[in-house]
Amino acid sequence: MLIAALLLAGILGSVGIVVVDETGQELPGVTVEVLQQGQVITRAFTSKEGAIEFTAIQPGTYFIRASLDGFRVQEVQALVSPLAPAEFRLVLPIESMLDYWLSMGVIPSFT
């Protein structure tokens, strides 16, 4: 209740993120971290739609880091303000096809 009141009062901000692969497919289960001055403030995982929202974030400058096995880690700087939610679409490039297949539980056959 207090957090909702602070959000409505314009004291805290929020960050919304959608994580996709290079084809635009949403990626579920991506670890997303919010960092400030090199320290992880909070961490959570994307939904089956590849989305996540962090609420009740103090205004300031943060880094948002997204990582998933088989993909390259991506990081973006976010300015959190109580005036408007910070929203991002992060694209995670595939690290290598073998890593991608293994992360999906697929064993490729080359015969």
Side-chain angles (χ1 to χ4, degrees):
M1 186 85 147
L2 177 61
I3 291 174
L6 291 173
L7 282 170
L8 288 174
I11 296 172
L12 299 176
S14 65
V15 179
I17 301 135
V18 175
V19 184
V20 298
D21 66 14
E22 294 169 302
T23 69
Q25 180 66 40
E26 294 88 4
L27 292 172
V30 176
T31 302
V32 180
E33 298 171 318
V34 178
L35 300 96
Q36 189 174 46
Q37 298 178 346
Q39 300 296 314
V40 175
I41 304 300
T42 187
R43 169 187 299 125
F45 301 95
T46 57
S47 67
K48 65 181 179 179
E49 293 84 19
I52 189 164
E53 184 173 15
F54 295 98
T55 59
I57 304 287
Q58 293 287 332
T61 302
Y62 297 85
F63 282 92
I64 310 300
R65 181 187 306 152
S67 60
L68 181 66
D69 287 344
F71 294 85
R72 283 190 230 136
V73 174
Q74 293 295 301
E75 200 170 90
V76 65
Q77 188 173 13
L79 179 60
V80 175
S81 165
L83 301 177
E87 296 183 357
F88 297 94
R89 182 177 175 93
L90 291 177
V91 178
L92 294 189
I94 295 172
E95 186 69 38
S96 74
M97 286 310 293
L98 180 58
D99 288 335
Y100 176 75
W101 288 328
L102 293 175
S103 72
M104 297 299 191
V106 175
I107 300 173
S109 174
F110 296 104
T111 58

